Amino acid sequence: MDHSTLNTKTISLASWNIRNSTIHYQYTPEVLEQIILANGEGVRTASGAIAITTGKFTGRVPNDRYIVKDDITKNRVAWGTINKTFPMKSFDRLLLKVTSYLSGKEIYVRDGFAGSAIEHRKSIRIITEYAASNLFAYNMFIRAEKGELTNFKADWTVINAPGFKANPVEDGTQSPHFTILDFSKKIVLTGGTAYTGEIKKGIFSALNFQYPLEEDVFPMHCSANTDQQGNTALFFGLSGTGKTTLSADTNRFLIGDDEHGWTVDHQIFNLEGGCYAKVIHLNKAQEPAIYNAIKFGALLENVVVDEAGEVDYTDASITQNTRVSYPLNHIDKLQTPAIANAPKHIFFLTADAFGVLPPMARLTPDQAVYYFISGYTAKIAGTETGISTPEPVFSACFGAPFMPLHPEVYGNMLQKRIQDSKAQVWLINTGWIAGVYGKGYRIALEHTRAMIQAVLTDKMKAKSFIQEKTFQLEIPTSCPGVPDTILQPRNMWADTQAYDEQAAALIKAFNNNYHQITQEPQKPSTISFV
């Protein structure tokens, strides 16, 4: 395919030692789609979206994420099993090998931004081996306006080489695939995996380090929306808890579905220019905003497509983690620019597969910090190989793999923001009631939405609350649109003794996890904890 007339601007990557390559700069989605189809990277679906498969890796590989240990990071990063150290010299050697690998190839370069708030915006250059990865970057980062590329200088550079495999013995990695952050060079280096989520999460991890230390911005792994009166809501939650689904409310304006900052002057801003939604069991009737966003320009990942181009969203034969990326402007009701007031309400979403947490609870500020640092949900049978019974999952701050600083840093920031904004925090269980997974049943999405709606429309102010005895949580006795019976989970169990035993086991898991986090012996010495 002749690309010679597609873009008149030429750039050099010689400073990265990428030489003799054909550089396709800032291509439009339409052109990238043509290249993807011509190269056999993907297929066109009936809705107009492109569908690709990402090979062996259909999700992130947290165990293969590293941070270069240098003067910037050595006394600030919370080093451990999540934030693994990588030597500077080893990184320099590996970087040279990756850039040599990309030299002489056709590669794709995109310049864009992270951060809707101009004063906190970062310039990002993304260098990709595949056209599909570049389309993902177009969707997910904030797109440059006319004139913004003149004299463009990147604050961060992502180099993405899925076809390059590291040699663990020579390169010091754990396996052939890797994502490494270097805060001195301001680079995210990824290789050995075509899963596109590594691109955006690498930048999010970088900003989770920089924002708190340099700009007093609280970075959050959450979705956000607002209404015409400027009443903002935040939705924290791990994968599968409903973060994207519940924020895509046709009655409210979407700010973003995954990554946000909260400033000291009481603003919420989206870090991204698009959404990256899970689509397993996607249903048009229940999730119309996401379903309708899957059109020309959207990029589906690891879904099953038939010969007619129809997508079977119920088919998890490739992975449970089927995804779609699309620009924010694919959503009809959108907050533009993606900036809003500090939240009036904050929701912590958890899919409790043990059936013991209440569907809805009002948290005190201290409880809010506890549940935030805990970041609880549960894995259920079928979601991962080897999972036969529910397992508790704790991911600090609802995003531990992306948090280079100690969880208490982010917890302290949340506590201060809640105090300043007077935001009310709620725990919403989108998981099971009346029994453990396999015996009880999952709370209906319509009931969860009714709870959220009741809070956002201030209908819960007139409702009475009681303190349930097991978790010491304030729960409502009634909620519009929700059966009263499901609000008190212990009463839903046929065997209340079995409930008590299951709840006690979960409380023990919570406490063990929290103790482990807060009693870590090596907190960064340059951080002050309250």
Side-chain angles (χ1 to χ4, degrees), residues 164-297:
F164 176 87
K165 303 291 192 297
N167 182 325
V169 175
E170 292 180 1
D171 300 322
T173 57
Q174 183 172 283
S175 65
H177 34 88
F178 54 88
T179 296
I180 310 174
L181 280 73
D182 186 320
F183 283 90
S184 293
K185 294 182 175 64
K186 299 292 190 295
I187 183 171
V188 177
L189 184 67
T190 73
T193 171
Y195 181 67
T196 58
E198 296 285 11
I199 295 173
K200 75 170 211 136
K201 289 303 185 186
I203 290 298
F204 187 41
S205 298
L207 296 182
N208 280 346
F209 179 87
Q210 286 187 290
Y211 272 155
L213 297 181
E214 299 175 5
E215 303 179 37
D216 199 11
V217 169
F218 173 34
M220 304 175 294
H221 183 214
C222 70
S223 59
N225 63 25
T226 191
D227 62 14
Q228 290 182 327
Q229 290 72 45
N231 296 314
T232 303
L234 303 181
F235 301 82
F236 289 85
L238 300 175
S239 180
T241 59
K243 178 164 54 72
T244 299
T245 298
L246 293 170
S247 62
D249 186 334
T250 55
N251 296 314
R252 293 171 64 84
F253 298 94
L254 182 70
I255 303 167
D257 84 324
D258 198 46
E259 300 169 4
H260 293 81
W262 187 344
T263 69
V264 291
D265 54 354
H266 312 300
Q267 277 191 336
I268 300 295
F269 66 94
N270 191 356
L271 272 60
E272 302 180 284
C275 297
Y276 193 40
K278 289 191 74 169
V279 295
I280 192 69
H281 302 302
L282 180 66
N283 181 288
K284 183 177 182 179
Q286 292 189 326
E287 301 177 84
I290 298 172
Y291 190 93
N292 292 330
I294 303 175
K295 54 188 178 183
F296 286 93

Side-chain angles (χ1 to χ4, degrees), residues 65 244 391:
R65 171 187 171 276
T244 299
E391 292 184 3

Side-chain angles (χ1 to χ4, degrees), residues 459-478:
K459 291 179 180 176
M460 296 308 296
K461 283 186 175 180
K463 299 298 179 182
S464 61
F465 285 74
I466 59 173
Q467 187 177 69
E468 56 86 39
K469 297 179 180 179
T470 306
F471 294 91
Q472 301 297 302
L473 294 171
E474 288 187 335
I475 61 175
T477 56
S478 65

Side-chain angles (χ1 to χ4, degrees), residues 280-343:
I280 192 69
H281 302 302
L282 180 66
N283 181 288
K284 183 177 182 179
Q286 292 189 326
E287 301 177 84
I290 298 172
Y291 190 93
N292 292 330
I294 303 175
K295 54 188 178 183
F296 286 93
L299 182 68
L300 286 158
E301 296 179 23
N302 301 311
V303 295
V304 175
V305 185
D306 68 18
E307 293 183 357
E310 296 292 342
V311 178
D312 183 354
Y313 291 111
T314 67
D315 193 329
S317 58
I318 298 176
T319 179
Q320 286 275 346
N321 190 38
T322 53
R323 294 273 181 173
V324 65
S325 65
Y326 49 83
L328 281 171
N329 60 22
H330 280 206
I331 298 292
D332 291 333
K333 298 202 70 172
L334 188 65
Q335 176 77 357
T336 307
I339 301 171
N341 299 329

